[in-house]
Amino acid sequence: MVSLPEELRAREAAARRQVEELQAESAELALRLEKAREDLSRLEITRETVAQVLAELSAAEAEPDAAAGGATETNESSAPHGVGVMMVPPWREGLVVAVLPDVYRDIVEIIADAPGPLQAKQLVPRIGLPTTTGKIEGTRGKLKRLVERGWLDEDAPGQFTLARQGPGRERTNSQ
């Protein structure tokens, strides 16, 4: 017959082993999740870059046609041929932040709420990403894209604020 203290020690040892095994599994899953997030981020950046390059090539192809008298092409030059819609549309009067994809909308809203200019490395944790070099560089690319499209300004290198003519004005009017 096994004594009660011996039985409790045996059960405690078994529970301890199970906790250690689950902690090891959890650590492995956390590493796999981080790798998957990095892969996703690289793929998103690659897709956006390819779309941008195709849009620029499409616009460059349309310019010679327009110069040669093909005026019908000028309306189509802003949309890439054979490619889906542009992820981040150029800002124009009447366009609201809600048209942006989630991550871009989050970036613009965080910058709008900030007391001053933000850098990519300050923004990354605020949008819920780990502060790894890859995430910071990916976010910097998104910030640059928002500057190119008129949503943000970059007054000093790496210092991003809302565009003076753009979404900040609309945001304050709607609040």
Side-chain angles (χ1 to χ4, degrees):
M1 175 173 228
V2 177
S3 71
L4 183 58
E6 289 174 2
E7 179 63 24
L8 288 175
R9 274 193 288 277
R11 288 184 183 197
E12 181 181 350
R16 186 171 283 114
R17 278 191 304 275
Q18 184 179 15
V19 166
E20 290 170 356
E21 289 172 4
L22 290 173
Q23 283 177 330
E25 282 182 46
S26 175
E28 181 185 342
L29 285 174
L31 289 172
R32 288 176 50 200
L33 177 61
E34 179 59 27
K35 184 184 179 321
R37 282 182 175 157
E38 288 176 7
D39 290 346
L40 175 61
S41 177
R42 280 195 305 273
L43 289 168
E44 287 173 339
I45 292 167
T46 300
R47 179 182 40 78
E48 291 167 0
T49 302
V50 167
Q52 181 180 4
V53 167
L54 290 174
E56 290 169 1
L57 290 174
S58 175
E61 288 175 2
E63 286 176 12
D65 292 341
T72 57
E73 288 285 326
T74 57
N75 292 338
E76 297 175 18
S77 66
S78 63
H81 299 288
V83 178
V85 297
M86 188 178 294
M87 294 276 301
V88 178
W91 183 86
R92 64 183 180 279
E93 193 69 38
L95 203 57
V96 294
V97 178
V99 303
L100 296 173
D102 292 341
V103 68
Y104 289 93
R105 183 173 45 241
D106 291 345
I107 289 170
V108 171
E109 289 173 352
I110 289 168
I111 289 178
D113 293 339
L118 288 177
Q119 295 177 323
K121 66 182 176 183
Q122 296 169 314
L123 191 64
V124 167
R126 294 181 186 186
I127 58 176
L129 297 174
T131 54
T132 61
T133 303
K135 299 300 180 188
I136 293 169
E137 292 304 315
T139 301
R140 184 173 288 115
K142 288 175 176 61
L143 288 162
K144 296 282 190 179
R145 186 167 298 108
L146 287 165
V147 169
E148 289 171 4
R149 307 274 167 80
W151 291 91
L152 299 178
D153 282 336
E154 187 177 12
D155 295 330
Q159 300 287 322
F160 298 92
T161 60
L162 277 181
R164 287 177 192 83
Q165 88 290 351
R169 185 178 60 197
E170 307 230 336
R171 223 171 165 273
T172 55
N173 289 344
S174 65
Q175 290 181 340

